[in-house]
Amino acid sequence: MRKTFQLQVEGKHPDRLLEAIKHEIRKYIKRERRRELPEGSDFWDFDCRFGASAEAAEVVHLSAITGLIDGIVKDAGKQFYVEILAKPGKRKPRAAGEPAAEESPEEI
């Protein structure tokens, strides 16, 4: 998906338009994850870029896109560009004795 979204469309409420844009992005990601994986792959990974325009787009993580969209809306931007490209990914095996996840101490 390579697309420039307009945030101000005449005749459409800006909040509903924002919800529709986020829904379209989530729908695309879900559709790509449902595709059959190539042989030797474990999951679908995504290369993402985000910016006010295609020329100003920077590499970002998939989970940061929603927050960046909210930032553009908060700064009263008129449009933004998002690029999300699926690629097959392969998980790296953990070394023996390495913990599954970092445990953070709970604060009481």
Side-chain angles (χ1 to χ4, degrees):
M1 165 189 271
R2 293 181 182 134
K3 191 168 182 181
T4 300
F5 290 98
Q6 301 297 323
L7 293 172
Q8 296 175 350
V9 176
E10 189 171 333
K12 295 192 178 186
H13 193 277
D15 293 339
R16 301 299 79 77
L17 185 60
L18 181 61
E19 288 176 7
I21 290 169
K22 288 181 181 179
H23 176 72
E24 183 178 340
I25 292 171
R26 288 184 191 115
K27 189 168 78 171
Y28 173 79
I29 293 168
K30 286 180 185 178
R31 185 177 345 140
E32 289 298 309
R33 285 186 173 153
R34 278 194 315 258
R35 289 189 352 198
E36 189 173 327
L37 284 167
E39 191 68 34
S41 300
D42 295 326
F43 65 101
W44 285 108
D45 195 10
F46 294 92
D47 289 332
C48 305
R49 293 180 56 213
F50 184 89
S53 66
E55 296 79 28
E58 297 179 3
V59 175
V60 296
H61 192 271
L62 179 64
S63 63
I65 289 179
T66 304
L68 292 169
I69 292 171
D70 291 337
I72 293 281
V73 171
K74 187 177 180 181
D75 294 339
K78 296 184 185 280
Q79 70 179 16
F80 66 89
Y81 172 80
V82 66
E83 179 178 310
I84 305 172
L85 302 174
K87 65 177 182 179
K90 179 85 172 138
R91 285 189 170 75
K92 298 176 185 173
R94 268 197 308 254
E98 185 177 321
E102 297 273 334
E103 291 186 23
S104 60
E106 294 184 27
E107 296 178 16
I108 299 176

